[in-house]
Amino acid sequence: MNKKNVLTKTILFIAIILFINVFIGIFGDANKLLGVGIITVALCLLERDLTTCLWASLSKLLVINLILGISAFLSSGNIWIGLIVNFLVLFTLVYLFSYNLRKSIVVPFGLQYLFMLYTPVHGNNFLKRILALAFGALFTMAIQLLANKDKMSKVGMKKVDNILENVLLKLNLLKENLDLNTINLSIEESIKTLKKMVYDKRVKNFYLTNDGKIITNIICTIERFNILLDKLKLENKNENYIYFLGDLYTSLKNIKDKNYNSNNLCVNYLNIDSNMLYVQEFKNIIETLSSLMCEMENLNKKNKISIDYNERIPNHFQNLHIQKRNFSIRDLRVSYGVKLGIAGALTAFITEYFKLPEGRWLTYTIFALIQPYSENCKIKSRQRIEGTLIGALLIIILFTLIKNPNARFLIILLTGYLNPFATNYKYLVICITVSSIATIALSGALVKITLIRIMFVIIGTGIALLVNKYILPYKIKDGSEKLIKSYNELVNQMIKDIKDSESEHGIMNLFLLPAFIQDRMELINFGKDCSKEKNFINNQRILVNSIYYNHLSFNMKKCISEL
């Protein structure tokens, strides 16, 4: 771990502590955990750019926060009402904030709800909670403005330059006949990241800004260049091959240095070496990339963020159509939502009905271990128990040796500070266990609190395993089949939309979407140990790029002929 990473996380930890203390000062100690929930939501949402539709995003967050606050109030007031409300809230959170392709954001919103459920407030404190939830929505969007405003303009082209730098490095490695695995992974990961950034910047979940459209075309062109380099590598390593790589390097370096008038790639190699099948295409790519980079540079700030709304949104991109198509008992989100809703609601009911001391730990365990994929539940369950036992033993040893209350409080701060540095779930659970037990044990009853924690974690783990096994089980195999089907459907839809001259925004959306499919495949280790799966991913990536690049080339030639 480098010094910069340590410094960043240290500053972040200090900022979080300051925020929570200020939050408590304004909204009272009864809303302390809500402050933790709000800062968690705000930080998690930084991965997505919500600034394009600022007021719409603020309104949605405000409505969500208020619904969660009122629901928690109703649930804590009557356990029978809570049984229904908790199921509906947990199911809805999963359905809205978990995705078949994208990274889930269920955890921050779910924790915010559970924190409110287990710290009920009444009277004036409830009014403060409502105000705190409204503040939370405003604070989240303020953080968005600070971190993500004009992110495409500030970061997008820097990432393009970084990708070009790596492609230039790859050209040098090719000339030296050195290993390309590391640089290929870096290029592909950077391209995927940039695709996701452009996708997040859409308006109405469909329309791309002008700079987003140009960067999409730049991404496609660079990706095509990179794919052709891999094919070119298979050619004979003769003198002409080395010279050609040198010319490619010079042409690409000129583009990176914004020298757009010096990219006349020599085509004489076609006559010298009959094996050079890609020379003309490389020439076209260099010319296309040069034109796109120049176009991007000439955009003023106003034109960068402008959007063409003249194109209608096709049915297959309309939200209602997507929801109707995907809402099925065998859908990942529905399966996950039903499991978490049933297990979470019943557990919360039982803990309140029997007035179990620290019963929230049982519900938190259920919430943490119910997973979309059954196999992941088994892995996390083992890590949860191991981490809890280690953390419990550690806090008993520390509190036995350390009697000073101030020193014990420092232990809580230290474990909180170490949370972001946890490299896997077990280490995170160790930190959480130490912090949770220590916070209550400051007033005594260390052994009793520790045993309760261990008991609830073991019981919660057993319940989670049973639920994942018997209630709408969704296995990684099911996810793999769904992803393969989704990828094939995306390719077919892309071909159909191009053939039918459908919306350019829609075709670009389809080109960007595989970045999320590949992310989900990585999450379930699709292709990790199977050459057939690896080839599928690579072939689909090349196919999508080829389809879109040919479409782009045709449009650019058409525009030139019309001038």
Side-chain angles (χ1 to χ4, degrees):
M1 186 175 294
N2 58 49
K3 292 181 180 179
K4 183 179 179 182
N5 194 25
V6 173
L7 180 61
T8 300
K9 290 185 176 180
T10 302
I11 293 171
L12 181 61
F13 174 74
I14 294 170
I16 291 171
I17 295 297
L18 288 173
F19 171 83
I20 293 172
N21 278 284
V22 171
F23 190 88
I24 293 171
I26 298 172
F27 300 107
D29 194 63
N31 289 308
K32 176 172 64 178
L33 286 179
L34 176 57
V36 176
I38 285 171
I39 191 68
T40 303
V41 169
L43 292 175
C44 287
L45 287 179
L46 279 181
E47 295 180 4
R48 305 185 182 194
D49 187 351
L50 305 179
T51 61
T52 304
C53 301
L54 187 64
W55 294 109
S57 298
L58 175 60
S59 300
K60 288 177 184 176
L61 274 174
L62 183 59
V63 169
I64 291 166
N65 279 358
L66 293 178
I67 288 175
L68 292 180
I70 293 169
S71 298
F73 176 77
L74 293 173
S75 296
S76 60
N78 185 300
I79 60 172
W80 297 100
I81 292 175
L83 189 62
I84 299 169
V85 172
N86 287 335
F87 172 81
L88 292 174
V89 168
L90 291 173
F91 175 83
T92 304
L93 284 177
V94 169
Y95 193 76
L96 290 178
F97 298 121
S98 68
Y99 308 92
N100 290 320
L101 298 180
R102 306 190 68 176
K103 183 179 177 182
S104 169
I105 50 173
V106 172
V107 171
F109 285 101
L111 283 177
Q112 181 173 298
Y113 178 70
L114 292 178
F115 287 158
M116 289 189 288
L117 182 66
Y118 283 105
T119 55
V121 290
H122 305 281
N124 189 49
N125 281 332
F126 178 68
L127 177 60
K128 285 185 177 181
R129 175 158 292 180
I130 294 298
L131 292 173
L133 288 166
F135 168 80
L138 290 168
F139 174 78
T140 300
M141 292 313 300
I143 294 294
Q144 282 281 327
L145 285 171
L146 286 172
N148 290 334
K149 183 65 175 174
D150 297 327
K151 186 176 180 180
M152 185 75 72
S153 301
K154 294 174 183 176
V155 181
M157 290 309 294
K158 288 181 181 178
K159 287 191 176 293
V160 168
D161 283 344
N162 179 256
I163 296 169
L164 288 174
E165 191 65 45
N166 281 331
V167 175
L168 289 170
L169 177 57
K170 180 174 178 175
L171 282 164
N172 283 332
L173 293 174
L174 274 169
K175 285 196 288 186
E176 300 296 329
N177 196 25
L178 297 175
D179 182 70
L180 301 176
N181 286 333
T182 302
I183 195 66
N184 273 339
L185 285 173
S186 180
I187 292 169
E188 289 172 17
E189 187 63 33
S190 296
I191 288 173
K192 189 171 67 174
T193 299
L194 194 49
K195 285 180 180 179
K196 290 189 290 185
M197 183 188 296
V198 175
Y199 193 85
D200 277 341
K201 195 66 177 176
R202 297 172 307 150
V203 176
K204 297 183 180 179
N205 292 323
F206 181 73
Y207 295 105
L208 277 71
T209 55
N210 275 347
D211 59 348
K213 290 166 72 174
I214 297 172
I215 289 177
T216 297
N217 292 335
I218 289 172
I219 296 169
C220 172
T221 309
I222 297 174
E223 187 177 40
R224 185 65 185 166
F225 187 98
N226 187 54
I227 290 168
L228 285 183
L229 282 183
D230 291 329
K231 293 183 178 181
L232 189 65
K233 184 176 182 290
L234 302 177
E235 303 295 335
N236 295 326
K237 306 298 184 296
N238 53 32
E239 186 178 356
N240 290 328
Y241 170 84
I242 301 300
Y243 286 152
F244 183 59
L245 290 177
D247 275 5
L248 283 177
Y249 183 95
T250 301
S251 297
L252 200 62
K253 185 72 165 59
N254 284 334
I255 292 175
K256 184 179 179 299
D257 294 340
K258 298 180 173 52
N259 187 7
Y260 304 121
N261 298 318
S262 304
N263 299 302
N264 296 319
L265 186 68
C266 182
V267 295
N268 292 331
Y269 298 101
L270 286 169
N271 301 322
I272 296 172
D273 191 337
S274 59
N275 289 326
M276 292 292 183
L277 303 176
Y278 312 110
V279 177
Q280 186 60 51
E281 186 167 1
F282 271 116
K283 183 176 184 297
N284 293 338
I285 287 173
I286 291 293
E287 291 172 353
T288 301
L289 184 58
S290 179
S291 175
L292 290 169
M293 295 285 282
C294 185
E295 183 181 0
M296 185 66 186
E297 191 173 358
N298 290 333
L299 271 185
N300 60 42
K301 186 174 182 180
K302 183 178 179 180
N303 287 335
K304 281 182 180 180
I305 60 174
S306 63
I307 297 170
D308 177 14
Y309 291 105
N310 291 326
E311 296 182 5
R312 70 172 185 85
I313 301 178
N315 285 337
H316 49 277
F317 278 106
Q318 290 181 8
N319 191 49
L320 182 61
H321 176 84
I322 294 170
Q323 298 302 336
K324 287 170 65 176
R325 183 184 64 197
N326 290 337
F327 195 89
S328 161
I329 202 68
R330 292 305 306 159
D331 181 70
L332 176 65
R333 293 186 300 164
V334 174
S335 165
Y336 180 24
V338 169
K339 287 186 290 189
L340 185 58
I342 290 174
L346 284 175
T347 306
F349 176 83
I350 291 168
T351 59
E352 287 302 304
Y353 186 83
F354 292 102
K355 303 297 180 184
L356 298 177
E358 311 304 334
R360 66 186 185 281
W361 286 345
L362 183 57
T363 309
Y364 292 159
T365 299
I366 295 290
F367 179 75
L369 296 183
I370 298 290
Q371 295 290 304
Y373 300 104
S374 300
E375 294 89 341
N376 289 347
C377 177
K378 294 177 183 177
I379 295 169
K380 291 193 78 173
S381 294
R382 185 182 67 250
Q383 293 175 331
R384 182 88 177 184
I385 290 176
E386 289 175 356
T388 299
L389 292 175
I390 294 170
L393 179 61
L394 188 59
I395 192 60
I396 287 175
I397 293 171
L398 288 171
F399 269 38
T400 301
L401 297 174
I402 301 170
K403 303 295 184 181
N404 184 281
N406 292 329
R408 287 182 170 186
F409 182 72
L410 286 175
I411 292 172
I412 299 172
L413 280 179
L414 179 61
T415 51
Y417 170 72
L418 292 175
N419 273 358
F421 296 97
T423 53
N424 67 29
Y425 186 62
K426 182 172 79 172
Y427 299 138
L428 179 63
V429 172
I430 292 172
C431 293
I432 292 172
T433 301
V434 170
S435 180
S436 299
I437 295 174
T439 301
I440 299 174
L442 283 174
S443 58
L446 172 63
V447 175
K448 179 183 176 181
I449 292 298
T450 303
L451 290 175
I452 289 174
R453 177 79 179 192
I454 293 171
M455 179 183 68
F456 281 151
V457 167
I458 291 174
I459 294 172
T461 300
I463 294 171
L465 287 169
L466 288 172
V467 168
N468 268 284
K469 184 175 182 179
Y470 292 110
I471 299 180
L472 301 179
Y474 197 96
K475 298 182 180 295
I476 287 177
K477 180 183 176 183
D478 301 320
S480 298
E481 291 173 356
K482 176 72 174 177
L483 288 172
I484 292 170
K485 182 182 178 183
S486 297
Y487 220 152
N488 287 329
E489 287 176 348
L490 182 146
V491 170
N492 292 334
Q493 188 66 59
M494 198 172 187
I495 293 171
K496 183 177 184 300
D497 284 3
I498 291 173
K499 182 181 177 182
D500 296 343
S501 300
E502 268 289 6
S503 164
E504 280 299 310
H505 290 276
I507 296 167
M508 287 181 173
N509 272 260
L510 291 170
F511 169 70
L512 297 169
L513 264 173
F516 298 99
I517 297 178
Q518 290 161 21
D519 265 0
R520 180 63 67 168
M521 286 177 164
E522 287 176 13
L523 179 68
I524 62 175
N525 291 324
F526 184 93
K528 184 179 180 182
D529 302 309
C530 177
S531 58
K532 185 177 179 181
E533 290 178 352
K534 283 181 183 176
N535 289 334
F536 173 81
I537 295 171
N538 191 52
N539 291 338
Q540 291 294 93
R541 180 176 63 87
I542 293 172
L543 178 58
V544 169
N545 177 271
S546 298
I547 293 169
Y548 186 78
Y549 179 74
N550 288 331
H551 171 69
L552 171 64
S553 298
F554 175 79
N555 282 348
M556 292 192 75
K557 288 176 183 175
K558 184 179 177 182
C559 288
I560 292 171
S561 66
E562 290 175 353
L563 292 176

